[in-house]
């Protein structure tokens, strides 16, 4: 957000007793003209779609005015003369704690380029330092294990112990029992994938070091934070196939499976409502937010789980499948699930038609914008188009009501986990279901990898075509706030690719055991609910006196993430798996 300071005593660029905040820089503008000018600026991402500039400061004749500039995203800067004409449009990406200058030499557009007076250190160095630290710890840990293993082997040889003979004696004396635990029977690549998603979610929900790319996109676009929820939903869908197949193999009736799915969904909804009410001192049942992340997961889980329960075919041999499909046997995973695909395609089509064709009062059809000052305020009350309109009509006060957007200013309430977004997210979960079906249908690792990579390429290509491979253009832009079709396909493309890599490294080649992510992936719901309830309490968070910096917040947020990872490790070692 633009910082406007009207008093020099409150200006950290002029008052040595004050310090610049996170993502702030100093900007000195020399007005060498005899005219009063007005400086305007707007974040460049908003300028691309013609947002109205915000008044930044008054430039008196023959003056040097120092202002506090936003150093998070590129700023588009210009000034207006006394007649209202705009001059000297320029875009610049300020760096945190830097000092920059700009000279206006003529009231009719004569000005210099923005230049650097003082360039500060790179604000992203703490991320590099943290990465190197984690890499060092992992290297030391792995090396230590290898050294300990080598020492043990050396001592055995010194004592004249023949390993083969020892194992043979042990096999003769042992009863041949194998200890089976909850953790030993889990698919490690799934837990690693889920662990990556939940630890990223914890890190970014706690602040992500206050870096903008660890925050959700203000509207269109894709950041690291935007892929976490789709990944979690995708891997949830993956495990639906395993759960239902196992239940059917145990002769559990489909009716009873549906009852279990409904019970789990209701528990997730209850936990989501509990999280929504947590920390709100003045909430009542009349303004409690109904939608939420767990609510979205619960509904999409039940829809996809119910589809699989009703239509899933029994496991068959390759000969039976070949006799049915012949040369098209390589598409048997798709043909066997045509009723499910028909339903999902119909639901996705319905959602898309509502977005493009539903009349919204005062808004154009097919509007994907944020309202507010978007398009110079032309559609100020059209936030999220048809999706936002439907959610506001259904939920009223019971929805996410934060209406200040960092780019587009005051907007109407819009819930990123509302009804329309939940319907859209069903496709994410079902694509995860299909990834799980591939896993259990084909036996060779190469067959699974080829199909996962093919799905990754196809969904990614379609997403690119829909958004025209750009941020703002295209028929359907990539948008997390509305969970647009291009966003769904782009994030699932990354999910297919990531899981294929994890399965190859962990389950097939066994180059890596998935640690430390498998520990968090074994208890994801516990960690998700726990981090929400504890994120403002010591030792998960703390406050210190002094200036706030990226380094401090990054350290605290990484500490919180590591602490929850350690708690997950202890639960894993104790074979404690809490499931719903």
């Amino acid at each position: 957000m633009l910082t406007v300071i009207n008093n020099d005593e409150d200006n950290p660029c002029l008052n040595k007793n004050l310090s610049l905040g996170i993502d702030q820089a100093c900007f000195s503008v020399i007005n060498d003209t005899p005219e009063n000018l007005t400086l305007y600026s707007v974040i460049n991402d908003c300028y691309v779609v013609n947002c109205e500039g915000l008044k930044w400061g008054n430039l008196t004749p023959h003056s040097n005015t120092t202002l506090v500039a936003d150093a998070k995203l590129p700023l588009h800067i210009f000034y207006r003369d006394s007649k209202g004409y705009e001059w000297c449009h320029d875009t610049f990406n300020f760096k945190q704690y830097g000092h920059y200058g700009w000279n206006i030499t003529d009231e009719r557009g004569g000005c210099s380029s923005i230049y650097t007076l003082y360039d500060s250190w790179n604000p992203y160095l703490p991320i590099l330092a943290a990465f190197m630290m984690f890499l060092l710890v992992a290297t030391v840990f792995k090396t230590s294990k290898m050294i300990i293993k080598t020492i043990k082997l050396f001592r055995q040889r010194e004592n004249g112990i023949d390993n083969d003979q020892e194992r043979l004696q042990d096999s003769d004396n042992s009863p041949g029992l194998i200890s089976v635990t909850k953790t030993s029977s889990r698919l490690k690549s799934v837990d690693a994938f889920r662990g990556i998603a939940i630890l990223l979610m914890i890190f970014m929900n706690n602040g992500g070091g206050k870096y903008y790319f660890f925050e959700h996109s203000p509207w269109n676009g894709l950041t690291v934070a935007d892929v976490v929820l789709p990944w979690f939903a995708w891997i949830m869908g993956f495990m639906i196939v395993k759960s239902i197949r196992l239940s059917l193999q145990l002769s559990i009736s489909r009716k009873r499976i549906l009852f279990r799915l409904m019970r789990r969904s209701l528990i997730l909804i209850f936990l989501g409502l509990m999280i929504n009410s947590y920390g709100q001192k003045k909430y009542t049942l009349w303004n409690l937010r109904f939608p939420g992340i767990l609510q979205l997961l619960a509904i999409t889980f039940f829809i996809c789980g119910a589809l699989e329960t009703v239509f899933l075919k029994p496991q068959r041999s390759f000969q039976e499948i070949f006799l049915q499909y012949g040369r098209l046997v390589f598409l048997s995973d798709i043909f066997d699930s045509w009723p499910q695909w028909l339903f999902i395609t119909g639901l996705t089509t319905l959602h898309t038609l509502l977005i493009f064709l539903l009349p919204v009062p005062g808004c154009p059809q097919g509007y994907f914008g944020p309202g507010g000052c978007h398009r110079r305020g032309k559609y100020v009350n059209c936030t999220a188009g048809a999706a936002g309109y439907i959610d506001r009509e259904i939920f009223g006060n019971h929805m996410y009501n934060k209406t200040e957007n960092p780019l587009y200013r005051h907007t109407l309430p819009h819930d990123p986990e509302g009804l329309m977004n939940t319907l859209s997210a069903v496709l994410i979960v079902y694509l995860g279901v299909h990834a799980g079906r591939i896993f259990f249908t084909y036996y060779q690792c190469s067959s699974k990898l080829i199909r996962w990579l093919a799905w990754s390429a196809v969904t990614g290509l379609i997403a690119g075509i829909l958004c025209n491979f750009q941020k703002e253009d295209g028929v359907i832009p990539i948008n997390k706030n509305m969970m647009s079709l291009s966003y769904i396909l782009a994030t699932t493309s990354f999910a297919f690719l990531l899981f294929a890599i994890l399965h190859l490294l962990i389950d097939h080649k066994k180059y890596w055991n998935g640690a430390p992510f498998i520990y968090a992936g074994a208890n994801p719901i516990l960690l998700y609910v726990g981090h929400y309830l504890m994120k403002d309490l010591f030792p998960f968070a703390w406050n210190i006196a002094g200036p706030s910096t990226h380094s401090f917040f990054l350290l605290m947020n990484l500490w919180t993430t590591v602490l929850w990872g350690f708690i997950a490790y202890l639960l894993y070692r104790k074979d404690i798996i809490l499931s719903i």
Side-chain angles (χ1 to χ4, degrees), residues 29 62 105 112 128 150 207 250 382 438 442 449 549 574 577:
V29 182
H62 304 291
T105 57
S112 69
L128 177 61
T150 303
L250 295 175
C382 299
I438 290 173
Y442 302 98
L449 291 177
T549 63
K574 295 293 184 180
I577 306 294

Side-chain angles (χ1 to χ4, degrees), residues 75 143 244 289 363 421:
L75 281 180
T143 304
I244 295 177
R289 181 192 177 201
C363 304
N421 285 10

Side-chain angles (χ1 to χ4, degrees), residues 275-419:
I275 289 175
N276 286 353
S277 66
Y278 180 74
Q280 299 183 27
K281 296 181 180 179
K282 297 183 179 179
Y283 84 89
T284 66
L285 288 178
W286 300 109
N287 60 12
L288 175 64
R289 181 192 177 201
F290 288 167
I293 290 177
L294 292 183
Q295 293 90 316
L296 180 145
L297 293 175
I299 295 172
T300 55
F301 168 79
F302 179 76
I303 292 174
C304 293
L307 281 174
E308 283 300 290
T309 302
V310 173
F311 295 108
L312 181 66
K313 293 184 178 181
Q315 192 81 8
R316 295 173 296 168
S317 66
F318 177 78
Q319 289 77 7
E320 292 174 321
I321 298 175
F322 183 79
L323 287 174
Q324 182 176 0
Y325 299 122
R327 294 181 179 179
L328 297 178
V329 68
F330 66 95
L331 296 176
S332 61
D333 56 307
I334 298 177
F335 292 150
D336 278 348
S337 57
W338 70 263
Q340 296 97 307
W341 275 113
L342 183 63
F343 180 89
I344 296 298
T345 303
L347 189 63
T348 303
T349 303
L350 174 63
H351 176 272
T352 304
L353 291 176
L354 285 173
I355 293 293
F356 278 98
L357 301 180
L358 181 70
V360 179
C363 304
Q365 287 186 328
Y367 181 70
F368 277 88
C373 69
H374 183 251
R375 300 292 182 189
R376 295 188 178 271
K378 186 177 180 180
Y379 308 121
V380 62
N381 292 322
C382 299
T383 302
Y389 175 73
I390 291 174
D391 286 343
R392 286 189 292 273
E393 289 294 312
I394 293 176
F395 294 113
N397 293 329
H398 301 284
M399 61 186 295
Y400 189 72
N401 57 11
K402 187 177 180 181
T403 59
E404 280 299 320
N405 188 286
L407 259 64
Y408 305 101
R409 304 166 210 166
H410 188 77
T411 59
L412 289 182
H414 169 63
D415 203 305
E417 286 81 45
L419 176 62

